[in-house]
Amino acid sequence: MFLAFLSITHVQQRLKTGARPPPSGVPMLQLDGATARPMTSVRGAGFTSHGKRNAQGYEAPGQSSGATLETRSEDSPEERMKAMEKKVNDLVEESAIQLSRGNKQLALDRGKAAAREERQFSRQREQSVGEANMDLTYWVLFNLASVYHANEMFTEALNTYLIVIKNKTYSSAGRLRINMGNIYCEQNNLPQAIKMYRMALDKFPATHKVLRMKIMENIAAVFVKMGQYAEAINHYEVIMSERASFKTALNLILCYYALCDREKMKQTFLQMLRIHLHVGNDDRYYPREDDPQSVMLHDAIKDDHLKQYEDEKKKEAEQSIVTAAKVIAPSIEDSFAAGFDWCAEAVRTSAYASLVSDLEITKAVTYLKIKDHRKAIETLKDFEKKDAKLASPAATNLSFMFLLDNDVQQADKYADLAIGSDHYNPAALVNKGNCDFVTGEFEKAKEQYLEALSIEASCTEALFNMGLVNKKLGQLEEALDCFIKLHSILPAHPQVLFQIADVNEMLGDTAQAIEWFTQLLNVVPSDPAALSRLGRLYDKEQNDKSTAFQFYQDAHRYYPCDIDVISWLGGYYVESQFCERAIPYFEHAAVLQPDDIKWQLMVASCHRRTGNYQDALEHYKRIHLKFPDNTDCLKYLVRLCTDLGLQDVAEYAAKLRKAEKVKEAREHKNQSNSAGRRRRDRDTSRDRVDSARQSSGRQGSASQQNSGQATIVQQESGAVPEDWKRPAANRDFDASYADPLGEMPARPKTAARQRPVDEDEFGDEELGDDLLPE
């Protein structure tokens, strides 16, 4: 044991002198004049009870022969190299740990530091020992390439992998070509990726069956991405024959679907149903209540890693089968209903018969997608008499369908049925709350949403609808909390972002509303509603017309049919005194609302303000032809004809007087009708009171009512005021009008100051003869 602590320097000195250890059974010479301890157990070690050295040279405890062991120095080259090697290992381990935690930049820094330390360590080791630690170099370079790949530094990662692969010392370095193929695939360099995968496949013998199949899956996936489905099918068929899996079968079905091969799709679907899951029996997860040992075993294994693995395998199998049925059902038969029936029959005769109900529900949802509600309802109603596991989702879908059809009574009925079948169904509770929401019972709806959230805290539908209910109830702070929570679950959902911005605007927080609307535009930059809302906020709240104009203009570009946006843009140009630029917007509004005279009057007013009186006159004439009884248009015509000195003034003035007369008669008639209705209501109520008091007064009340009605009839028969009986030529009319664009801005006055009128400074002086003209 003591030889293990001898220094390397002492051993080298012994080797230089040519000294060799003595043969077995021969005692070693004493160091520094003393006999050393024998190296063999052939002779006795010489233990004595006196604790002294015996004749055979044994050194008793506490006695020293003068030979001392050399102690290692921490500054020796060996210790320094060990410390450097340990530092490199620690850096590589820390880099790998940080990469697994998602800290990619920190992992890259540690990986680069490990590479620098490893190069320095290799140089010192080559100088002292003569060879480098190739395993450590491989480890450092592999980790560095991995962190380069994680940080999307693909060129650096490929170069690092090439350094390892080109080193012939590493016999298994060719396997790294799989990672290189993955990088080329991410770079969309698909031919080079296939080359790397095939070179890696050649490095593995036939004994590595699992790894070879995984590489072939990568090759087939790249061929699918390239659109070469025939090559992909060849590889997938080899995998299915060697090591079939649900993922491979689904990919193969998709390739056959792309090539429209019905028979191959059917064969592969049947082959998928024959794949064995290789999971244990489920009976062990159902303990016997009378057996305490069985209950204890169940508590130990009900959620262990094996159970989780089996659940994942079952979930993958069920999703693959249902997805494959959805894909091939519309293609393998003449109709998708016949295709679903064939798939359901195939599944019913397999080991996955429990998926038949899922396929039936999928069939009903497909009917719903093609808007065949009748067949969808018929399919779902077949589940009413089945067990609760199937009746609850079917009733939930029925409730949602009836709600879409505005049949709230049937929707509420099936929502109650779904809740009765499975009270812990959050979708059923949401449907029930939606029914209460539609009927205006917001408090009950809120209770249903809260109960759904208590069952499933991440139920996004319940959280969103509860925010809407809180808005209806005026509880804006609670609504904002709901939408903020939903934003943490769905960070980029446009509806959530819009609701948060809308609630902030309702709360008066303009800055937050603008910020959330801006985030919404980052998700959907072409949303005209968000653009117009931002424009309105900048216009009304921030008083920033230029920024508002940019948002309104973008909103009009994406959706040119918004009348409010068109009106604002036209008004902006009119306010800026660029009426000629407002004309196209008002003309577009007139096209959208041809029966609204306002827009056509605005177009004519813009022409008039720009000085195009002739164009304005033509527009007013066209408006008059379409709306002959409009007094505003006639007033504009009278004024323009007067200003231009045209002879049509008398004609339009007569038409204006006639139109005003009709307008006044219509207004008077409306007032008379309203007064008559009030009088009839008043008389009717008085008659009822009088008839209740005495029966004899009924006739008098009836006569009063008849006389009142006669008066009303007389007023409605066409009696006109005395002023109307005068000839139209002798009547005065009001030719004044109000510009629909508003008053024109006042003409700016000059800055020149008017000189005051002072008295003549030469007024009191006498002019001499020399100043008089000759």
Side-chain angles (χ1 to χ4, degrees):
M1 294 298 290
F2 292 98
L3 288 177
F5 296 94
L6 289 176
S7 64
I8 297 178
T9 305
H10 181 69
V11 174
Q12 290 177 351
Q13 292 176 356
R14 294 289 302 276
L15 293 175
K16 289 180 181 179
T17 57
R20 295 183 179 180
S24 178
V26 179
M28 294 182 64
L29 296 177
Q30 176 181 340
L31 298 176
D32 296 335
T35 305
R37 179 181 178 184
M39 295 296 295
T40 66
S41 58
V42 175
R43 293 186 297 112
F47 290 99
T48 61
S49 60
H50 301 288
K52 296 181 180 181
R53 185 183 300 277
N54 56 12
Q56 295 156 347
Y58 174 73
E59 183 178 342
Q63 298 180 1
S64 175
S65 62
T68 58
L69 298 175
E70 296 183 11
T71 59
R72 289 176 183 248
S73 175
E74 295 182 357
D75 296 334
S76 62
E78 294 82 6
E79 293 296 328
R80 287 198 300 269
M81 283 190 292
K82 285 187 177 180
M84 292 178 65
E85 185 177 3
K86 184 178 183 302
K87 184 177 181 181
V88 173
N89 290 329
D90 292 341
L91 286 173
V92 174
E93 289 180 0
E94 186 177 358
S95 175
I97 291 173
Q98 295 298 332
L99 184 61
S100 64
R101 293 176 179 175
N103 301 327
K104 299 179 182 180
Q105 186 59 43
L106 185 58
L108 179 61
D109 296 339
R110 296 294 183 270
K112 289 181 178 180
R116 290 193 297 268
E117 295 293 335
E118 189 274 333
R119 285 194 295 270
Q120 185 177 358
F121 168 73
S122 298
R123 285 195 297 268
Q124 292 191 9
R125 183 179 173 86
E126 288 176 358
Q127 293 175 2
S128 60
V129 181
E131 62 179 5
N133 190 343
M134 302 304 296
D135 294 336
L136 182 63
T137 305
Y138 181 89
W139 189 22
V140 172
L141 292 177
F142 177 74
N143 176 75
L144 183 61
S146 300
V147 294
Y148 276 142
H149 187 188
N151 285 273
E152 297 183 357
M153 302 172 66
F154 299 130
T155 304
E156 292 82 355
L158 291 173
N159 294 334
T160 307
Y161 280 130
L162 284 175
I163 293 174
V164 180
I165 291 173
K166 290 181 179 180
N167 194 335
K168 303 301 181 183
T169 308
Y170 307 122
S171 58
S172 60
R175 302 182 180 184
L176 297 180
R177 294 188 183 274
I178 300 175
N179 294 2
M180 296 179 67
N182 294 338
I183 294 175
Y184 282 123
C185 192
E186 291 184 28
Q187 290 181 326
N188 206 24
N189 190 355
L190 303 181
Q192 193 68 19
I194 292 177
K195 178 182 177 181
M196 289 294 112
Y197 287 141
R198 285 178 171 171
M199 293 177 69
L201 186 63
D202 296 337
K203 294 292 182 180
F204 293 97
T207 54
H208 295 74
K209 184 177 179 180
V210 177
L211 192 54
R212 285 177 60 86
M213 294 300 104
K214 290 184 178 180
I215 297 175
M216 292 187 69
E217 285 182 0
N218 288 0
I219 296 174
V222 175
F223 276 124
V224 170
K225 198 171 182 180
M226 295 173 64
Q228 300 180 13
Y229 300 111
E231 292 290 339
I233 287 172
N234 294 334
H235 287 79
Y236 281 133
E237 286 179 346
V238 173
I239 299 171
M240 288 294 293
S241 61
E242 296 291 334
R243 188 172 178 269
S245 65
F246 287 98
K247 180 180 177 181
T248 305
L250 180 59
N251 291 336
L252 184 57
I253 288 175
L254 293 175
C255 291
Y256 285 132
Y257 177 80
L259 297 179
C260 300
D261 194 337
R262 291 188 175 184
E263 294 301 325
K264 289 292 185 180
M265 281 190 282
K266 289 183 177 181
Q267 294 176 8
T268 309
F269 185 76
L270 294 175
Q271 189 177 0
M272 175 190 287
L273 296 176
R274 291 193 294 268
I275 297 176
H276 189 59
L277 277 178
H278 300 287
V279 295
N281 191 3
D282 292 339
D283 294 339
R284 64 179 183 275
Y285 297 112
Y286 299 96
R288 297 189 302 273
E289 298 295 337
D290 56 349
D291 188 357
Q293 186 176 1
S294 176
V295 175
M296 187 181 301
L297 177 62
H298 172 262
D299 293 339
I301 67 174
K302 65 181 180 180
D303 197 23
D304 59 353
H305 294 292
L306 179 59
K307 180 65 166 59
Q308 295 176 4
Y309 171 77
E310 291 178 351
D311 291 342
E312 291 178 0
K313 296 289 289 183
K314 291 179 181 178
K315 185 177 180 180
E316 179 187 1
E318 293 175 358
Q319 289 181 349
S320 300
I321 293 173
V322 174
T323 304
K326 289 180 182 179
V327 171
I328 68 174
S331 302
I332 58 177
E333 298 293 343
D334 296 335
S335 64
F336 86 93
F340 267 111
D341 293 339
W342 183 90
C343 293
E345 187 63 28
V347 172
R348 188 177 288 108
T349 58
S350 67
Y352 306 97
S354 58
L355 298 177
V356 175
S357 300
D358 294 338
L359 293 179
E360 292 294 336
I361 293 179
T362 304
K363 179 181 177 181
V365 173
T366 307
Y367 277 125
L368 183 61
K369 288 181 178 179
I370 63 175
K371 299 182 179 181
D372 193 348
H373 292 183
R374 184 180 60 81
K375 291 186 178 180
I377 292 174
E378 291 177 358
T379 305
L380 291 173
K381 282 185 176 180
D382 294 338
F383 292 91
E384 292 185 14
K385 298 181 181 179
K386 297 183 180 180
D387 55 349
K389 183 180 179 181
L390 301 176
S392 181
T396 302
N397 291 332
L398 282 170
S399 175
F400 182 71
M401 291 171 58
F402 282 119
L403 191 61
L404 291 179
D405 291 337
N406 293 325
D407 192 348
V408 182
Q409 184 177 0
Q410 289 293 324
D412 187 72
K413 170 187 173 182
Y414 280 99
D416 292 334
L417 180 61
I419 295 173
S421 301
D422 183 8
H423 189 72
Y424 297 98
N425 186 356
L429 293 170
V430 170
N431 284 342
K432 179 66 175 177
N434 292 341
C435 295
D436 295 332
F437 186 92
V438 172
T439 56
E441 300 178 359
F442 301 120
E443 292 292 346
K444 291 184 179 180
K446 186 175 180 179
E447 293 177 1
Q448 299 295 334
Y449 297 143
L450 287 173
E451 188 173 357
L453 288 173
S454 64
I455 297 172
E456 184 179 346
S458 61
C459 183
T460 56
E461 295 83 0
L463 200 56
F464 184 82
N465 292 346
M466 192 169 70
L468 297 180
V469 166
N470 288 326
K471 285 180 65 177
K472 288 288 186 179
L473 295 174
Q475 301 170 358
L476 299 181
E477 294 291 345
E478 295 184 10
L480 185 60
D481 292 340
C482 293
F483 292 127
I484 291 294
K485 292 178 182 178
L486 188 58
H487 175 65
S488 62
I489 302 174
L490 304 173
H493 199 283
Q495 289 290 339
V496 179
L497 294 173
F498 177 83
Q499 292 296 336
I500 295 175
D502 185 58
V503 174
N504 276 295
E505 184 180 359
M506 296 172 67
L507 289 171
D509 195 345
T510 306
Q512 285 293 322
I514 291 176
E515 180 181 352
W516 285 103
F517 274 124
T518 305
Q519 292 187 24
L520 175 60
L521 288 180
N522 293 332
V523 179
V524 280
S526 60
D527 185 6
L531 289 167
S532 61
R533 290 288 292 273
L534 268 174
R536 189 181 69 182
L537 287 172
Y538 276 107
D539 180 27
K540 299 293 184 181
E541 306 296 336
Q542 303 292 330
N543 198 20
D544 189 351
K545 294 286 186 180
S546 60
T547 306
F549 171 73
Q550 295 295 331
F551 284 112
Y552 274 119
Q553 196 173 37
D554 292 339
H556 178 68
R557 184 173 71 253
Y558 290 117
Y559 184 64
C561 300
D562 193 337
I563 293 295
D564 295 333
V565 174
I566 294 173
S567 177
W568 191 94
L569 289 172
Y572 174 80
Y573 281 119
V574 171
E575 184 179 355
S576 303
Q577 299 184 16
F578 293 102
C579 296
E580 65 277 3
R581 295 188 179 182
I583 292 175
Y585 294 101
F586 293 140
E587 288 179 345
H588 186 58
V591 172
L592 295 176
Q593 295 182 349
D595 295 333
D596 193 347
I597 194 175
K598 175 179 66 175
W599 306 113
Q600 301 183 37
L601 292 176
M602 286 182 176
V603 173
S605 297
C606 287
H607 283 293
R608 181 174 52 82
R609 286 197 177 189
T610 56
N612 298 326
Y613 297 110
Q614 191 63 35
D615 292 341
L617 182 61
E618 295 297 330
H619 274 80
Y620 283 129
K621 287 181 178 180
R622 287 196 294 267
I623 296 172
H624 176 64
L625 291 177
K626 188 174 182 180
F627 302 96
D629 297 332
N630 186 266
T631 58
D632 293 332
C633 179
L634 289 171
K635 289 178 181 180
Y636 297 141
L637 285 171
V638 170
R639 178 64 180 272
L640 276 176
C641 291
T642 303
D643 294 342
L644 296 176
L646 300 179
Q647 298 179 357
D648 298 335
V649 177
E651 178 185 354
Y652 289 121
K655 291 182 178 180
L656 177 60
R657 285 191 291 268
K658 182 178 179 181
E660 286 182 342
K661 179 179 178 181
V662 173
K663 182 179 179 181
E664 290 177 3
R666 187 182 297 111
E667 292 177 354
H668 184 73
K669 182 178 180 180
N670 293 335
Q671 292 177 359
S672 300
N673 290 336
S674 60
R677 283 193 296 270
R678 289 194 298 269
R679 184 178 300 174
R680 280 196 300 269
D681 295 339
R682 186 169 57 252
D683 292 343
T684 302
S685 60
R686 187 183 298 111
D687 291 343
R688 291 176 180 175
V689 172
D690 293 341
S691 62
R693 291 180 178 179
Q694 53 184 358
S695 58
S696 61
R698 293 178 181 176
Q699 296 178 355
S701 299
S703 61
Q704 292 179 0
Q705 183 176 2
N706 293 333
S707 62
Q709 291 178 355
T711 304
I712 295 172
V713 170
Q714 182 180 0
Q715 291 180 356
E716 293 179 353
S717 62
V720 296
E722 293 296 330
D723 184 60
W724 292 6
K725 297 179 181 179
R726 288 186 297 168
N730 298 331
R731 291 182 56 203
D732 297 330
F733 63 92
D734 183 14
S736 61
Y737 62 92
D739 196 336
L741 298 180
E743 295 294 334
M744 293 185 63
R747 181 179 177 181
K749 298 181 179 180
T750 61
R753 183 174 58 87
Q754 185 177 2
R755 298 180 61 183
V757 180
D758 298 331
E759 295 181 357
D760 190 359
E761 59 183 357
F762 299 102
D764 297 334
E765 296 183 3
E766 294 181 0
L767 299 178
D769 296 338
D770 56 343
L771 296 178
L772 295 176
E774 294 181 357

